[in-house]
Amino acid sequence: MSPRWEPNPDIRRGRSVVHTLHAHLVFAPKHRRGPFTDEILRRCEEVMRDVCTDFGADLREFNGERDHVHLLVHYPPKVAVSRLVGSLKGVSARRLRQEFPGHIRTYLWGEHFWSPSYFAASCGGAPLTVIKEYIENQKRPG
């Protein structure tokens, strides 16, 4: 190995693959009625960080506003983004409803927490620092 070689933490290595896959994800609650407070966003981040770990992924950035959340996820190629999204939304909805039942119930109608749709973008085109800065600058309530 060359002494000039600097390891890049964004490049991950597997048994037969070298990769750096990042996705910018945006989730909105059903009807976008704005149930998020700073406390709920903090708990949502913890839950989503745990789900990412279970998938072998890394939640690099998380932030949100009253009516949506942004994630920057570094994930391995064996993970289908749609499966990761399904688990992120499913587990977080269940945990947030259990831990904040009164608050969540006042903002949402019916049984669904998240809207069934989501935004996903590969982050290969824009520098990751730009995406990180954008997520960091979301107007967090509280």
Side-chain angles (χ1 to χ4, degrees):
M1 188 174 352
S2 169
R4 291 178 287 167
W5 182 78
E6 293 284 329
N8 183 340
D10 284 338
I11 297 177
R12 298 167 93 184
R13 289 164 175 74
R15 185 172 176 186
S16 61
V17 65
V18 177
H19 61 90
T20 180
L21 299 171
H22 292 84
H24 176 201
L25 305 173
V26 181
F27 306 150
K30 190 84 169 179
H31 311 298
R32 284 190 84 128
R33 293 197 57 211
F36 295 114
T37 62
D38 188 53
E39 180 184 14
I40 292 174
L41 284 172
R42 271 194 309 255
R43 182 60 181 138
C44 188
E45 179 179 3
E46 291 170 5
V47 170
M48 290 187 173
R49 198 168 292 283
D50 291 343
V51 170
C52 284
T53 301
D54 291 345
F55 274 82
D58 181 28
L59 181 59
R60 294 284 175 94
E61 290 292 328
F62 177 94
N63 210 343
E65 295 185 9
R66 290 203 173 276
D67 64 350
H68 66 282
V69 296
H70 289 263
L71 297 84
L72 178 61
V73 180
H74 189 203
Y75 64 97
K78 68 181 180 180
V79 172
V81 174
S82 59
R83 285 193 59 234
L84 177 61
V85 166
S87 289
L88 286 167
K89 289 169 83 173
V91 172
S92 63
R94 186 170 55 256
R95 297 264 173 84
L96 294 177
R97 281 181 171 277
Q98 288 171 350
E99 297 174 22
F100 305 97
H103 179 80
I104 300 293
R105 197 175 304 116
T106 61
Y107 283 90
L108 302 176
W109 301 310
E111 296 299 314
H112 300 285
F113 181 82
W114 296 108
S115 166
S117 59
Y118 62 94
F119 170 81
S122 167
C123 297
L128 292 176
T129 54
V130 172
I131 302 293
K132 278 183 164 183
E133 184 178 315
Y134 173 72
I135 292 173
E136 287 171 359
N137 291 325
Q138 292 294 301
K139 296 176 187 147
R140 182 182 285 253

